[in-house]
Amino acid sequence: MRPRLAIVGTVGLLSLSSLGSLILMSAAIQNAGRFGDLYSLLLLTNLLGLAAFSGLIAMNVRDLVLQLRRRAPGARLTLRMLSIFVTLSVLPICVLYGFSMNFLMRGVDSWFDVRIEHALSDALELSRSALDLRMREVLSQTENLAEEISAGAPQSAVLDLGALRDPGNAAVAESWHPDEGDLNQLRRRIGAEELLVVTVQGRLLQSSNSGTDLVPNIPPAPILLQVKQGRSYIGLEPIGNAGLYMRVAVALPDTNIDRPARVLQALFPVAEGMNVLASNVESAHAKYQELAYLRRKLKLSFAMTLTLVLLSSIATAVWAAFYSARRLTAPISDLAAGTAAVAAGNYTMTLPVNTSDDVGFLVSSFNDMTRRIAVARSEVDTQHRYVNTLLSQLSSGVLALDDGGHIKTLNDAGRRILDLGDVVITGMRLSELAEKREHLAPFVECLSAHLEAGDDRWQQESQIFIRTGRRALMCRGSHLPLDVDTEAGHVVVFDDVTALIQGQRDAAWSEVARRLAHEIKNPLTPIQLSAERLRQKYLSKMAPQDAETLDRLTTTIVQQVETMKAMVNTFSDYARMPAINQERTDLNKLILAVVDLYRSANPEARFELDFAADLPAISVDASRLRQVFNNLVKNALEASSDRSKAVILLSTRRLHTETGDYFTISILDRGDGIPPEMLTNIFEPYVTSKTRGTGLGLAIVKKIIEEHGGVVTLENDEDGGARATIRLPLVADPKAQRSPA
Amino acid sequence: MNAARRLLALICCLCLSAGAMARGVTITNGTASFENAELVISIQASIVLNKTVEEALDNGITLFFEAETRILRERRLWPDTQMLRNSHRFALSRHALSNRYALTDLTSGQSRTFQTLQEALLVLGDLQRVFIADEAALPTQDVYLARARLRLITEELPAPMRPLVWISPSWWVSSQWYEWIIKR
């Protein structure tokens, strides 16, 4: 409140000062004698006051414009109220100003009347005429006197005119004392105040004065020049404070051409009554002439004063309008700001209740509302935290989506399973998630298909490949038809079932191996022994032709039994594959050793190697991986129909992706490729395109690679042949590689 | 910031133009002497009034002139010290009845009339032996700088004319400061 009081006090003081100075300025214009000296100061004060008000208004306008631009609460209401206030206050002031200006101009003009002006001019002219009559008389008298003096030839007494002007020259003053009785007598006779005889150069020859002023009034040079030219001078002059005098200067005729030309000057006082009247007329005429001259300027000054009053009034009214509008809209602005704050989530917003009127009641209700909302929100937050805690404790991933496919929540287990790290995915669309995290594309496709299909309840397995290898996810989704006012959505619960599937598969193959051992392998030994005993017992006793047949048949039986034993052993080995034994291994060297083995056995085949040089040693089970490379190189050689023309391309690379670093090993042959119908299940046991073999080679390869957390793919190359690609994760912790197994 | 600079430039221009437009009075000579233990100065100035001022005078406006004199003591690297200051005022008016111009010395109260304005201005511009101060008011051993100017006092004009005086250079009738050295 204190700043507001200070502002109001300052503006009030400013208003009073402006009003006071305006009053004084108005008084100064009407009566310059009273405040005339202060007129400029008053005008400057008013201009400064006006500038101060204009500055205040400009600041208010700027603030309002800024508030309007940023759509501040209450700004539009303030503008509306301001417009009303300003219109209501300024419009009457402007109308009043217009009428006042009109009246003022007409009023000033009404002061001046042509008839008065003419009357004053006539009075002045009359005064001049009256004086002219007298002046002509004194001129005639003086001219007659001049002729008389010329005839009488008064004595000459040359005096220095310059010396006479110097009142300090006592010597000259003494020598000049008028003792010429004739001149005095003549002066008294014509009724002159002063009578002088001077040369045309201005040198005083003789003088007579009736007063006490010892300094004669020497005629100025222009008058002397005029007289010298033969024209007498007669003029009316105000001399000092003595009033009007008539100065007459005439030439003194002289027959002696050797003497300098002389001038007779006489000063005649104007009669006292005439002097007073003439002075009054002259004074009134001068005053009226001055007023007439100042009329336009006076109107301008009045107009300026009135305009200053107008501008000051408007400035005060506008500022008052600003102040009033802000005061009236302040509680409403506060309410609007509070509502906006609540809408933005600030439920602790409370507003000060300054009044007990309707607005105060509204503010109290608002405060009560925010208090209740804050309590309700606190309860919701508690419930939310409880649910979040529950979700975070789940081992399954829980993903909530809205109807638009935007991710709303994902619990910690879900983030861990999907290997999201610190990426913020809340609010993200599923398609955006697939773009940003490419390894989740299969997962997203699985979810999107069901969401687009509008399945209420669904379940599907999906696979993703993350830093730690391939993951099998069992996803279950359901639609969430919530309350009417609540947005519906979907919830997807997914589990990492990689270990479970692997365990199930291991158990299945173990069962197969056990059955094979029990059902097939066990009878093979009696069959083999029986065949050998037949051969041993009857071969020597039979005819050579029969013996040959028996030998061939028993040999076939033994060989086939051996083959079946090898097959069963291989299958048993697959099912009972021991745990991997990791050690730091240089994969390039390991592959090269395998290639050398086959290169020596197949010297005609061509092996082309393209190994990356920057591959570090990694922790793998070298013997198991050697078996992988053996199987793949062997398959590549066998894929070529003519081994002498076989071409095998082996390459290694280091691959960097957003999910981590990998090794890739590519083995490419130029054979006939893989039949397309076998591509989907080429890694399953007993799936083979070869006429010989157990059909377990690629299955074993896949199992070993998966036990290392990697992935192996087999595809036909565009230029012919098949390409096997192995991708092994490069992780710092070797145990992480084993986790998929 | 730009607005402030523009305002400053405008004020500077106005000040310069005001100085440049100060016309009508030119001091041609100034002398000072010590007479009878008094410091008196004499100034000769040429005064030419423009039509605007002359029109005002002919319409009954009394014009007030001021002969302003300052006696300074010069100092190196420091502003000069003002020792004495004197102002001599005159009133010039027109007497309508006699069609003459009256020049009144407001200091002494003496008044003279002239048939023409030029005569009045000649006398106004010829100031002889104007008393400044007693000789004792000045230290004896110094050399002084005298500075004088003659100007029309616009502050004495009727109030309605003053706002116009601010914006009309015709009313800026003043001489430049005339300086000369006084040696004792």
Side-chain angles (χ1 to χ4, degrees):
Chain A
M1 288 299 285
R2 283 184 178 177
R4 182 182 293 175
L5 277 177
I7 291 172
V8 172
T10 304
V11 173
L13 202 60
L14 188 62
S15 304
L16 288 176
S17 303
S18 296
L19 184 63
S21 58
L22 280 171
I23 292 171
L24 291 177
M25 199 172 80
S26 175
I29 287 179
Q30 294 172 45
N31 185 358
R34 289 176 64 190
F35 304 105
D37 295 341
L38 298 175
Y39 182 80
S40 300
L41 184 63
L42 293 171
L43 188 59
L44 187 64
T45 304
N46 279 295
L47 289 174
L48 288 177
L50 191 60
F53 263 119
S54 301
L56 279 174
I57 292 170
M59 287 168 59
N60 278 284
V61 170
R62 187 200 61 182
D63 290 347
L64 184 59
V65 169
L66 290 177
Q67 287 173 358
L68 286 170
R69 279 188 184 169
R70 64 167 184 263
R71 299 179 181 280
R76 289 180 179 279
L77 184 61
T78 304
L79 177 64
R80 197 170 298 141
M81 296 191 75
L82 182 68
S83 305
I84 295 170
F85 287 158
V86 169
T87 305
L88 289 178
S89 56
V90 171
L91 201 60
I93 293 175
C94 290
V95 172
L96 186 64
Y97 172 76
F99 277 99
S100 300
M101 189 64 81
N102 189 27
F103 288 142
L104 188 64
M105 295 300 120
R106 290 186 179 182
V108 171
D109 286 338
S110 68
W111 296 350
F112 301 93
D113 192 334
V114 178
R115 290 171 298 182
I116 297 175
E117 189 174 355
H118 285 172
L120 281 173
S121 297
D122 292 344
L124 190 66
E125 195 58 36
L126 185 63
S127 302
R128 281 179 183 155
S129 301
L131 290 170
D132 277 350
L133 187 63
R134 172 69 181 145
M135 284 163 72
R136 277 197 293 273
E137 289 176 5
V138 298
L139 176 60
S140 175
Q141 286 179 341
T142 308
E143 284 174 344
N144 293 335
L145 187 64
E147 289 174 1
E148 189 177 337
I149 290 174
S150 295
Q155 296 176 353
S156 298
V158 179
L159 295 175
D160 183 79
L161 190 63
L164 286 173
R165 280 181 178 158
D166 185 1
N169 194 342
V172 175
E174 286 173 4
S175 65
W176 179 77
H177 192 274
D179 53 359
E180 293 79 9
D182 292 340
L183 199 58
N184 284 334
Q185 190 177 358
L186 292 174
R187 178 183 60 77
R188 280 193 293 271
R189 197 183 75 194
I190 63 173
E193 182 86 14
E194 186 181 83
L195 194 62
L196 301 179
V197 177
V198 295
T199 66
V200 291
Q201 287 79 26
R203 295 174 65 191
L204 180 65
L205 298 176
Q206 210 160 12
S207 68
S208 171
N209 195 317
S210 67
T212 55
D213 189 359
L214 300 180
V215 180
N217 197 318
I218 305 296
I223 295 176
L224 294 174
L225 181 63
Q226 180 180 333
V227 175
K228 185 182 178 183
Q229 291 170 349
R231 293 183 287 119
S232 297
Y233 172 83
I234 174 72
L236 191 67
E237 294 182 20
I239 295 178
N241 298 322
L244 288 171
Y245 277 82
M246 290 175 284
R247 184 195 294 270
V248 183
V250 298
L252 273 175
D254 199 344
T255 53
N256 186 355
I257 57 173
D258 294 334
R259 284 197 297 193
R262 296 173 300 169
V263 174
L264 176 66
Q265 175 188 274
L267 285 179
F268 294 92
V270 175
E272 189 175 352
M274 175 73 80
N275 201 349
V276 172
L277 291 175
S279 295
N280 288 342
V281 169
E282 201 279 337
S283 173
H285 178 268
K287 189 65 184 172
Y288 191 86
Q289 194 180 21
E290 180 185 339
L291 281 177
Y293 174 74
L294 293 176
R295 176 167 62 173
R296 195 167 58 85
K297 298 165 182 64
L298 198 62
K299 283 158 71 175
L300 186 65
S301 296
F302 278 136
M304 193 166 62
T305 306
L306 198 58
T307 306
L308 269 177
V309 172
L310 170 79
L311 293 178
S312 298
S313 303
I314 288 178
T316 310
V318 171
W319 185 86
F322 263 109
Y323 182 76
S324 303
R326 287 195 189 285
R327 282 215 65 178
L328 286 174
T329 57
I332 300 170
S333 300
D334 289 347
L335 269 177
T339 309
V342 171
N346 181 11
Y347 300 109
T348 58
M349 184 82 178
T350 55
L351 300 175
V353 184
N354 296 324
T355 58
S356 56
D357 55 8
D358 294 341
V359 176
F361 175 73
L362 195 60
V363 172
S364 298
S365 301
F366 175 85
N367 289 339
D368 192 34
M369 178 190 73
T370 55
R371 198 161 41 246
R372 290 178 185 224
I373 290 177
V375 171
R377 182 170 176 80
S378 174
E379 291 174 357
V380 169
D381 286 344
T382 304
Q383 190 70 21
H384 191 251
R385 280 197 297 274
Y386 176 71
V387 171
N388 278 342
T389 305
L390 280 182
L391 287 175
S392 64
Q393 296 304 315
L394 291 176
S395 60
S396 301
V398 179
L399 174 67
L401 302 162
D402 63 13
D403 254 356
H406 296 92
I407 297 169
K408 293 176 73 174
T409 55
L410 176 65
N411 67 345
D412 295 341
R415 298 186 70 86
R416 194 168 56 247
I417 292 171
L418 297 179
D419 192 23
L420 285 173
D422 297 331
V423 178
V424 177
I425 62 168
T426 305
M428 193 183 287
R429 290 181 64 85
L430 279 177
S431 54
E432 294 174 33
L433 180 62
E435 288 171 5
K436 290 195 173 181
R437 311 292 287 178
E438 292 177 358
H439 69 284
L440 296 178
F443 175 73
V444 170
E445 286 175 10
C446 171
L447 266 61
S448 299
H450 290 286
L451 293 177
E452 289 171 6
D455 296 337
D456 278 347
R457 288 182 181 278
W458 54 271
Q459 180 170 339
Q460 186 178 341
E461 186 181 339
S462 176
Q463 290 194 347
I464 59 173
F465 193 85
I466 60 174
R467 283 177 293 183
T468 53
R470 180 181 50 81
R471 284 283 186 272
L473 304 181
M474 178 56 70
C475 307
R476 295 177 296 280
S478 63
H479 192 63
L480 294 176
L482 300 178
D483 296 339
V484 177
D485 296 334
T486 310
E487 188 182 5
H490 303 270
V491 63
V492 179
V493 180
F494 52 93
D495 291 291
D496 185 353
V497 293
T498 309
L500 179 62
I501 291 174
Q502 188 65 39
Q504 288 175 345
R505 189 175 292 171
D506 290 347
W509 284 113
S510 295
E511 180 63 19
V512 170
R514 191 185 65 77
R515 285 180 180 274
L516 281 174
H518 186 262
E519 300 295 337
I520 298 174
K521 189 177 179 180
N522 289 345
L524 289 180
T525 301
I527 291 170
Q528 185 179 8
L529 289 174
S530 297
E532 286 176 348
R533 282 192 66 185
L534 279 174
R535 183 181 177 185
Q536 188 176 7
K537 188 173 182 179
Y538 298 108
L539 187 64
S540 58
K541 297 175 182 178
M542 296 179 75
Q545 190 175 358
D546 294 335
E548 184 186 354
T549 304
L550 180 63
D551 180 47
R552 183 164 43 86
L553 293 174
T554 54
T555 300
T556 300
I557 290 171
V558 169
Q559 286 178 343
Q560 291 299 318
V561 167
E562 286 293 334
T563 301
M564 288 186 69
K565 275 187 176 178
M567 184 189 72
V568 170
N569 285 336
T570 302
F571 208 91
S572 180
D573 288 344
Y574 167 74
R576 296 184 292 104
M577 209 167 272
I580 58 175
N581 183 21
Q582 292 183 331
E583 56 184 335
R584 304 288 291 180
T585 306
D586 186 336
L587 282 183
N588 283 346
K589 285 183 180 177
L590 182 62
I591 297 169
L592 190 59
V594 173
V595 169
D596 286 344
L597 185 64
Y598 282 91
R599 184 180 280 162
S600 59
N602 302 277
E604 66 281 9
R606 186 155 58 93
F607 290 90
E608 294 181 4
L609 307 179
D610 179 17
F611 290 167
D614 60 342
L615 293 181
I618 60 169
S619 294
V620 293
D621 190 329
S623 61
R624 305 282 286 275
L625 281 185
R626 184 177 290 110
Q627 185 179 357
V628 168
F629 298 137
N630 265 323
N631 287 353
L632 292 176
V633 172
K634 183 184 172 189
N635 280 351
L637 278 173
E638 290 175 353
S640 301
S641 54
D642 185 356
R643 289 201 175 190
S644 62
K645 296 180 181 177
V647 177
I648 314 294
L649 291 87
L650 293 102
S651 63
T652 59
R653 290 285 184 274
R654 181 172 183 164
L655 179 66
H656 177 76
T657 69
E658 61 176 1
T659 55
D661 288 351
Y662 299 91
F663 275 127
T664 61
I665 304 107
S666 172
I667 301 167
L668 174 66
D669 65 59
R670 292 302 179 195
D672 299 330
I674 304 162
E677 66 275 9
M678 297 179 67
L679 273 175
T680 53
N681 55 354
I682 191 70
F683 288 106
E684 293 294 321
Y686 294 108
V687 177
T688 179
S689 61
K690 294 183 292 188
T691 54
R692 300 176 60 189
T694 61
L696 287 174
L698 288 177
I700 290 172
V701 165
K702 183 170 183 283
K703 186 176 183 186
I704 292 172
I705 294 300
E706 287 182 349
E707 282 176 345
H708 281 83
V711 66
V712 58
T713 59
L714 198 57
E715 58 189 353
N716 288 325
D717 192 72
E718 293 178 353
D719 298 329
R723 178 195 298 274
T725 304
I726 297 169
R727 190 160 75 165
L728 290 172
L730 228 180
V731 292
D733 182 9
K735 291 178 181 176
Q737 286 179 277
R738 301 184 62 179
S739 57
Chain B
M1 185 59 78
N2 285 333
R5 285 180 181 173
R6 286 176 185 173
L7 182 64
L8 189 62
L10 180 64
I11 291 171
C12 289
C13 287
L14 285 176
C15 291
L16 289 174
S17 62
M21 290 180 182
R23 298 267 193 279
V25 184
T26 307
I27 295 179
T28 56
N29 189 31
T31 57
S33 59
F34 293 94
E35 297 175 3
N36 301 324
E38 291 177 348
L39 172 62
V40 293
I41 64 162
S42 298
I43 297 170
Q44 282 77 48
S46 162
I47 306 171
V48 178
L49 298 184
N50 57 60
K51 286 185 177 178
T52 306
V53 179
E54 204 169 319
E55 181 190 0
L57 182 65
D58 289 340
N59 280 282
I61 305 297
T62 301
L63 303 180
F64 291 86
F65 288 87
E66 178 183 43
E68 190 177 357
T69 310
R70 293 177 187 178
I71 307 298
L72 309 169
R73 186 172 63 187
E74 287 185 300
R75 294 194 297 179
R76 286 185 180 179
L77 306 176
W78 288 97
D80 297 340
T81 306
Q82 180 172 296
M83 307 297 293
L84 297 171
R85 180 174 181 170
N86 182 270
S87 174
H88 214 79
R89 293 194 169 202
F90 300 90
L92 179 62
S93 60
R94 183 172 177 277
H95 195 263
L97 186 64
S98 61
N99 270 333
R100 294 179 68 85
Y101 292 91
L103 180 65
T104 306
D105 184 340
L106 297 177
T107 306
S108 65
Q110 291 182 347
S111 177
R112 293 178 63 186
T113 63
F114 303 90
Q115 197 169 1
T116 63
L117 178 60
Q118 283 66 35
E119 292 173 37
L121 295 177
L122 274 175
V123 174
L124 176 62
D126 184 21
L127 300 179
Q128 294 294 332
R129 293 194 294 278
V130 176
F131 170 76
I132 301 299
D134 290 332
E135 188 175 1
L138 291 174
T140 55
Q141 70 276 18
D142 285 331
V143 173
Y144 300 102
L145 175 68
R147 187 177 286 172
R149 72 170 177 180
L150 185 61
R151 70 181 184 102
L152 173 68
I153 310 173
T154 54
E155 292 83 356
E156 295 289 349
L157 290 170
M161 293 180 67
R162 285 178 214 165
L164 298 176
V165 169
W166 291 355
I167 57 175
S168 172
S170 299
W171 287 98
W172 303 345
V173 178
S174 172
S175 71
Q176 303 289 337
W177 283 102
Y178 184 85
E179 295 182 350
W180 71 96
I181 299 296
I182 302 176
K183 292 181 181 177
R184 307 194 61 171

